[in-house]
Amino acid sequence: MRASYAARKVSPNDEPVSGTTDIPDDLALSLYRTMVLSRTLEERLRAVYAELEFRGELHLSEGQEAVAAGVVAAAGPTFAFSHHRSHALAVAKGLDLKALVAEIYGKSTGVCRGKGGHMHLTDLSKGFAISSIVGASVPLGAGYAFAAKRRKNALLSVAFTGDGALHQGAALETLNLAALWHLPLLIVVENNAIAFSTPPETYSAVQPVALRARGFGIEAYVMDGTDATAVYTLALDLAKKVRSESRPILVEFDVPRLAGHMEIIDFEDYLSAKEKEARKRHDPLTVTRDVLVRHRLLDDRREREIREAAERDVDAAIAYARASPFPEPDAAYADVG
């Protein structure tokens, strides 16, 4: 299919930019398949969390799936650093679904052997790590980019962060160093227009937040992040630039977070019914599905097959996590120091 994007380059003149690319049909469908799997997983996690099958906090990435699917597919070999709302990215990076869910359950068969949990999902073999510290993905990504540049590592460092997190001091200081040291770092801001429960006009002096990057001389772009094929097309161009020119680029995607900050805090408490309905109208699964239907790549039968396959995979992962043992007490001393 012929995919395209229409973005805005953040500059004094707010320059419109656009591009096109041919996406193989199988790849276009795989973007949607990844998004459906992530959404199905999180719907099940919400249900079993309500039944107290596992403990701790649970932050869902519902509404942000197109960015994870599109960027990962476009950027090639990467090491991706994420934040607490990371399930969509973990699925896009291809983490074993059973090991991913087992980790969320705190079981010994998890990707971190049950010691990381939902807030510290990491699988080095897949080039994926997260930090529960707000804004920490940016310095982690810059550190990896610094090492990759010196060692001539082929993996591109990609730091995913949120609109609120980009205001953290460590993140802003890192933007300065990334620009100063010409680090090959792609910074992806998922702007869901709400930091915890706070609207952007009460925590940021500037909008879009990509303006922060311009203050450090970093090229920056803003685009809607609900069509995975458009995200893919823009990310393809930006990843090539970062690699070939060895410099940081920031892209801000507008996304409609469809869940509360975390599952013990009711989304209804701080968004009106009108605001919530507006977000649902921009559900990235609906937007991307409609694009694929228009290109005659998706019909009812194929969509049913995709959703049924996702259900089977999630059912198997939940069953695996339930049956897995918790770590033995002595395991606390393994992999330490």
Side-chain angles (χ1 to χ4, degrees):
M1 63 169 281
R2 189 71 168 167
S4 62
Y5 69 82
R8 183 159 55 90
K9 184 176 181 180
V10 180
S11 68
N13 299 321
D14 266 355
E15 178 184 349
V17 293
S18 60
T20 60
T21 193
D22 290 320
I23 304 180
D25 292 351
D26 287 348
L27 176 57
L29 278 174
S30 76
L31 298 178
Y32 186 64
R33 193 175 291 115
T34 298
M35 296 168 65
V36 170
L37 180 58
S38 175
R39 181 67 62 87
T40 305
L41 170 65
E42 291 203 317
E43 288 173 346
R44 286 295 304 278
L45 288 176
R46 174 186 285 121
V48 296
Y49 183 73
E51 298 297 324
L52 300 179
E53 289 202 15
F54 59 87
R55 306 299 175 91
E57 298 178 351
L58 183 65
H59 307 80
L60 301 181
S61 48
E62 286 180 334
Q64 304 182 189
E65 297 93 340
V67 173
V71 170
V72 168
T78 60
F79 201 114
F81 296 87
S82 188
H83 43 72
H84 54 283
R85 208 174 297 286
S86 66
H87 298 153
L89 184 57
V91 170
K93 285 292 289 178
L95 268 69
D96 180 88
L97 200 65
K98 291 180 177 177
L100 171 63
V101 176
E103 187 60 43
I104 295 171
Y105 270 68
K107 298 298 185 70
S108 63
T109 54
V111 290
C112 298
R113 302 178 189 179
K115 295 190 287 186
H118 154 75
M119 296 285 277
H120 300 276
L121 295 169
T122 292
D123 187 341
L124 299 181
S125 70
K126 296 292 185 181
F128 174 80
I130 76 171
S131 172
S132 62
I133 301 172
V134 174
S137 59
V138 182
L140 287 172
Y144 190 91
F146 179 81
K149 185 175 183 178
R150 289 178 64 88
R151 297 175 178 175
K152 303 187 186 306
N153 188 332
L155 294 184
L156 178 67
S157 182
V158 184
F160 289 76
T161 190
D163 47 304
L166 196 65
H167 293 75
Q168 289 288 323
L172 294 171
E173 292 164 17
T174 300
L175 293 185
N176 180 57
L177 285 180
L180 183 66
W181 293 345
H182 305 284
L183 298 183
L185 173 65
L186 181 60
I187 305 148
V188 178
V189 179
E190 297 169 280
N191 187 345
N192 58 35
I194 193 163
F196 199 116
S197 59
T198 309
E201 60 270 21
T202 62
Y203 66 79
S204 179
V206 297
Q207 288 290 332
V209 295
L211 278 169
R212 301 288 189 199
R214 293 301 304 151
F216 299 105
I218 295 176
E219 191 171 303
Y221 297 83
V222 177
M223 194 180 82
D224 178 82
T226 56
D227 172 6
T229 66
V231 170
Y232 174 92
T233 307
L234 174 60
L236 198 64
D237 287 348
L238 299 186
K240 286 178 183 174
K241 271 190 175 184
V242 172
R243 279 196 167 93
S244 62
E245 300 173 18
S246 186
R247 61 184 174 90
I249 292 179
L250 183 146
V251 56
E252 175 183 341
F253 290 109
D254 294 326
V255 293
R257 197 182 87 203
L258 300 176
H261 174 70
M262 57 186 181
E263 282 308 294
I264 60 173
I265 297 178
D266 193 345
F267 203 46
E268 304 283 359
D269 289 345
Y270 50 87
L271 279 187
S272 68
K274 185 178 178 181
E275 290 170 318
K276 194 174 179 183
E277 189 56 37
R279 286 171 177 258
K280 284 183 178 178
R281 286 198 296 273
H282 293 90
D283 186 334
L285 263 71
T286 303
V287 173
T288 302
R289 181 191 62 203
D290 290 349
V291 170
L292 297 178
V293 169
R294 283 200 300 275
H295 283 81
R296 301 179 184 278
L297 297 180
L298 191 65
D299 54 22
D300 291 345
R301 179 188 61 80
R302 182 161 285 181
E303 174 158 18
R304 185 169 59 253
E305 291 172 352
I306 290 173
R307 291 185 178 275
E308 288 175 352
E311 292 284 354
R312 287 195 297 272
D313 289 346
V314 171
D315 284 347
I318 295 286
Y320 179 79
R322 285 171 172 164
S324 294
F326 285 107
E328 295 294 333
D330 287 347
Y333 300 102
D335 309 314
V336 178

